[in-house]
Amino acid sequence: MPYYVKGLFLDTPEIGQIRARRGWALVEGDCLAAFRTDAPEGSQTPILDFGDQLILPGFTDLHLHAAQYAYCGTAMDVELIQWLRDYAYPEESRFADPAYAERQYALFVRDLKASATTRACIFASLHTDATLILMRQMEEAGLRGYVGKLAMNRNCPDTYREPSTEEGVRETERWLDACDAMGFSRVRPILTPRFIPSVTDDYMAALGRIARERNVPMQSHLSENRDEIAWVRSLCPDTRFYGEAYARWGLFGGDCPTVMAHCIYSGEAECALMKQNGVMIAHCPTSNENVIAGIAPAARYLRRGWRIGLGSDVSGGHTLNLFAVMMAAIQNSKIYWRYVSQLEKPLTVADTLYMATAGGGRFFGKVGLFEPGYQFDAVVLSEAGLNSTREFSPLERLERYVYRGSGNPQAKFCAGERIV
Amino acid sequence: MPYYVKGLFLDTPEIGQIRARRGWALVEGDCLAAFRTDAPEGSQTPILDFGDQLILPGFTDLHLHAAQYAYCGTAMDVELIQWLRDYAYPEESRFADPAYAERQYALFVRDLKASATTRACIFASLHTDATLILMRQMEEAGLRGYVGKLAMNRNCPDTYREPSTEEGVRETERWLDACDAMGFSRVRPILTPRFIPSVTDDYMAALGRIARERNVPMQSHLSENRDEIAWVRSLCPDTRFYGEAYARWGLFGGDCPTVMAHCIYSGEAECALMKQNGVMIAHCPTSNENVIAGIAPAARYLRRGWRIGLGSDVSGGHTLNLFAVMMAAIQNSKIYWRYVSQLEKPLTVADTLYMATAGGGRFFGKVGLFEPGYQFDAVVLSEAGLNSTREFSPLERLERYVYRGSGNPQAKFCAGERIV
């Protein structure tokens, strides 16, 4: 049944600009049907009246590891090798047990649901059954997203790897078949090779074939640190740059919609191919500082024609709260401006709102704006506790919320369904 | 009346190390009298039992501007000149009105009281009466700290400056007399020249005399950015470095306990004098990234013999929550390690807990440790909402709280008084 939502709507039809409109959004089915600034007098359509509260498009989290959430916020002082050995791999391997997966993913889904995120691209673990459990829980929570069973068959512990390419391909096919059979309507699969060093050439070739045959998108990591880049070069001596190690299997945008996390040290050839193929960059500033990866040139990507959104990258990132990620993106771009390059001005609140909504939302189609025909994903913010003697403009209210708000909206809509 | 507090106490008797003890702290008067790890069986002394909850020393916030709190979390995308012209000066000048001061400082004190901070060094505005209002409100809230009436008589708007040195000195004397007369027991005055460019030489000379005669400490800003340093050099051509422009008036440590905020670009001579005179460095990483100042070499200061603690620097900083400032200090030191210098390893949670407690607490005497004879300042943390399927060590629990906790403790003690 159609309904109106009333409030102060902020969105970003243009990069770097915030549009603020007080009014009524008419929701029909999963979409915004119309936006009006005059009251719908005499209409029988019900109105959800949020007064003058801020309403933003629901956020898209382009990159996160659900199977690492149990230790989120710890292991920040340890080195990468120890982080993988003592935290990431042992924790992810626990998802071999479906009962554990049910329990731990429930905590993850609870927190994601409470956040401002309506859509996400998610890494699960190697395990088909646990991945399906996560997908079912997301579905039941009303969240939308792509969820990927990890592919990984080399350079990882014996206790946590796929024993062969054949077994990996078989499980991938079983997983995709199950996704079809389970009739998910909100959540879809996405191919998820961990990153080039974790996946053999023949497995990558098979994933490329599956992507083409079954029309499945893909997600992975790219150019997060210099050691990793050198490692890929030694593993793939016939490629000119890291991204080509995905592209040669058809897994780098173009016909295969692709999200690549990080892209901190991408060179010009890699950047050119990302732009040409429309690869979506998941900028993950909280993670990038936590694991000492560095700072991606996000302002350049945003303003010079790349597709870019934000990722929480839990649990390299310490929070699912994309407002905190927006703040970190701004702060890191300021440090980048101070210490690395002054070619681009630092990111602003308007820039990062774009990245969290319209920017990342594109990966899901018409998502991330309050425009007719767009999916109605929306979050209603509560500014309780942020009172001041001062009057603020709508943009100042948003900025203040980004820096000081709780992050958890008072109400939340995903594709027209109210889920909080 | 004496009482016990029971819980899991964490503190930092040594830099870089966290001591974790389950036990009972005996509080007598304003001090911790004894710490025991066996239950006080049969004792008549009441016990506040917090089970296995984490208890930290109360935090010391070494630098913040209470008169800027109204716009905290806004104006982050504007340039410094505009920030001062449109936000800082107009807002601070509103404190000429005591009724406004009552209202706005009440919001500030409410939030400081709710935070983990028990002691603070605070910049107020130019106004004597408003500064006394803030001191009375702090006193009534049970918070401890130094509060400073700003001194500023040059390079600022006509509408917000002291009209002459004589008037500034007269108001400073009136303020100090009033502090004596009002019989504050928890809050004390601290001389607060805004920074060298804001205060003429004769006014600085007078403040130096007052510091000596009345035994009052001082606080100011130092070497926050390169333009500022060049400006000080042109204003004080007979000084070799910025810090000397304070030191020549006896306002740089030694007999005059001194807090200096920022110290990002301090050269070797300045650093040597800070160390020699025991100047306390207020490291303000959230502010330093927000206003694009840069990153201070905090790990070097901490590990090579300087006195250092943390400052929220509201409203260059966006939050009074020193857990967020601890996190920013760690993250910024990682970026510093990546892009500026690899001489010192990045800061850890243990390092930043030291800075927030024992490090900054030294400015107040025996403050910041759970040792007999130390002031009993303590905060009891609630980890509600941070549940996981995983078991965590005490240090991991703290780390998780730093990165993901609310920041507002469940209970709070300041000098033996329970205030939350």
Side-chain angles (χ1 to χ4, degrees), chain A residues 287-331:
Chain A
S287 168
N288 294 342
E289 55 187 348
N290 288 335
V291 308
I292 326 187
I295 304 176
R300 174 173 179 247
Y301 290 144
L302 176 70
R303 297 181 190 138
R304 306 292 164 188
W306 282 267
R307 294 187 184 211
I308 183 169
L310 295 177
S312 67
D313 194 16
V314 159
S315 285
H318 57 275
T319 178
L320 291 169
N321 176 3
L322 285 189
F323 290 104
V325 176
M326 289 168 66
M327 180 177 81
I330 295 167
Q331 291 173 329

Side-chain angles (χ1 to χ4, degrees), chain A residues 4-307:
Chain A
Y4 282 106
V5 176
K6 188 205 162 203
L8 171 48
F9 291 80
L10 306 184
D11 65 351
T12 53
E14 280 182 68
I15 290 171
Q17 309 256 340
I18 288 179
R19 171 172 67 176
R21 295 178 295 175
R22 288 185 170 83
W24 289 258
L26 176 63
V27 182
E28 290 181 2
D30 53 359
C31 285
L32 187 148
F35 189 88
R36 53 194 292 172
T37 52
D38 57 316
E41 308 282 358
S43 161
Q44 296 304 304
T45 307
I47 298 176
L48 285 169
D49 189 343
F50 293 104
D52 196 49
Q53 284 181 262
L54 297 179
I55 304 180
L56 309 180
F59 285 2
T60 291
D61 189 336
L62 286 175
H63 184 66
L64 70 94
H65 296 261
Q68 296 174 0
Y69 192 60
Y71 66 90
C72 188
T74 62
M76 293 304 187
D77 291 342
V78 307
E79 309 273 347
L80 183 63
I81 300 298
Q82 190 192 346
W83 190 87
L84 289 169
R85 188 193 60 206
D86 295 348
Y87 290 85
Y89 292 146
E91 177 61 33
E92 290 185 24
S93 64
R94 297 175 76 181
F95 289 80
D97 173 9
Y100 180 75
E102 283 285 2
R103 221 161 55 239
Q104 179 56 34
Y105 279 146
L107 294 174
F108 165 77
V109 170
R110 173 199 70 180
D111 290 355
L112 191 68
K113 183 174 176 177
S115 80
T117 297
T118 47
R119 316 232 165 195
C121 294
I122 299 177
F123 283 51
S125 67
L126 285 188
H127 316 95
T128 299
D129 294 336
T131 302
L132 290 167
I133 287 168
L134 173 57
M135 295 176 84
R136 177 177 44 73
Q137 290 190 1
M138 292 272 295
E139 184 87 14
E140 288 167 359
L143 294 163
R144 308 259 158 169
Y146 289 109
V147 176
K149 182 199 104 55
L150 260 185
M152 176 162 73
N153 69 343
R154 67 172 172 183
N155 295 314
C156 49
D158 288 342
T159 51
Y160 187 53
R161 76 160 72 202
E162 291 176 297
S164 67
T165 296
E166 295 65 36
E167 175 68 12
V169 171
R170 195 156 48 236
E171 280 300 300
T172 299
E173 300 274 10
R174 179 168 82 86
W175 165 57
L176 294 173
D177 292 341
C179 290
D180 290 341
M182 291 171 78
F184 297 140
S185 64
R186 302 182 183 89
V187 179
R188 282 175 288 172
I190 184 167
L191 297 176
T192 306
R194 188 175 203 114
F195 68 152
I196 291 292
S198 303
V199 186
T200 56
D201 285 0
D202 59 339
Y203 197 177
M204 288 298 292
L207 293 174
R209 177 185 52 74
I210 291 170
R212 276 190 304 282
E213 289 174 4
R214 303 179 69 131
N215 206 16
V216 189
M218 80 83 78
Q219 61 182 352
S220 197
H221 298 92
L222 184 68
S223 296
E224 183 176 5
N225 79 57
R226 294 191 192 283
D227 290 347
E228 170 204 19
I229 293 169
W231 195 14
V232 171
R233 193 178 303 123
S234 75
L235 290 167
C236 308
D238 50 336
T239 57
R240 290 166 304 151
F241 53 87
Y242 190 166
E244 202 172 68
Y246 297 109
R248 62 182 170 160
W249 311 116
L251 294 168
F252 202 67
D255 291 338
C256 177
T258 295
V259 178
M260 283 289 163
H262 308 309
C263 308
I264 297 174
Y265 300 103
S266 296
E268 282 313 308
E270 184 164 289
C271 284
L273 190 59
M274 287 195 290
K275 189 186 275 186
Q276 182 188 316
N277 286 3
V279 168
M280 178 67 78
I281 298 166
H283 179 46
C284 306
T286 45
S287 168
N288 294 342
E289 55 187 348
N290 288 335
V291 308
I292 326 187
I295 304 176
R300 174 173 179 247
Y301 290 144
L302 176 70
R303 297 181 190 138
R304 306 292 164 188
W306 282 267
R307 294 187 184 211

Side-chain angles (χ1 to χ4, degrees), chain A residues 69 104 292 338 389 404, chain B residues 69 104 292 338 389 404:
Chain A
Y69 192 60
Q104 179 56 34
I292 326 187
R338 171 65 65 203
T389 52
R404 298 175 59 77
Chain B
Y69 192 59
Q104 179 56 33
I292 326 188
R338 171 65 66 204
T389 51
R404 299 175 58 77

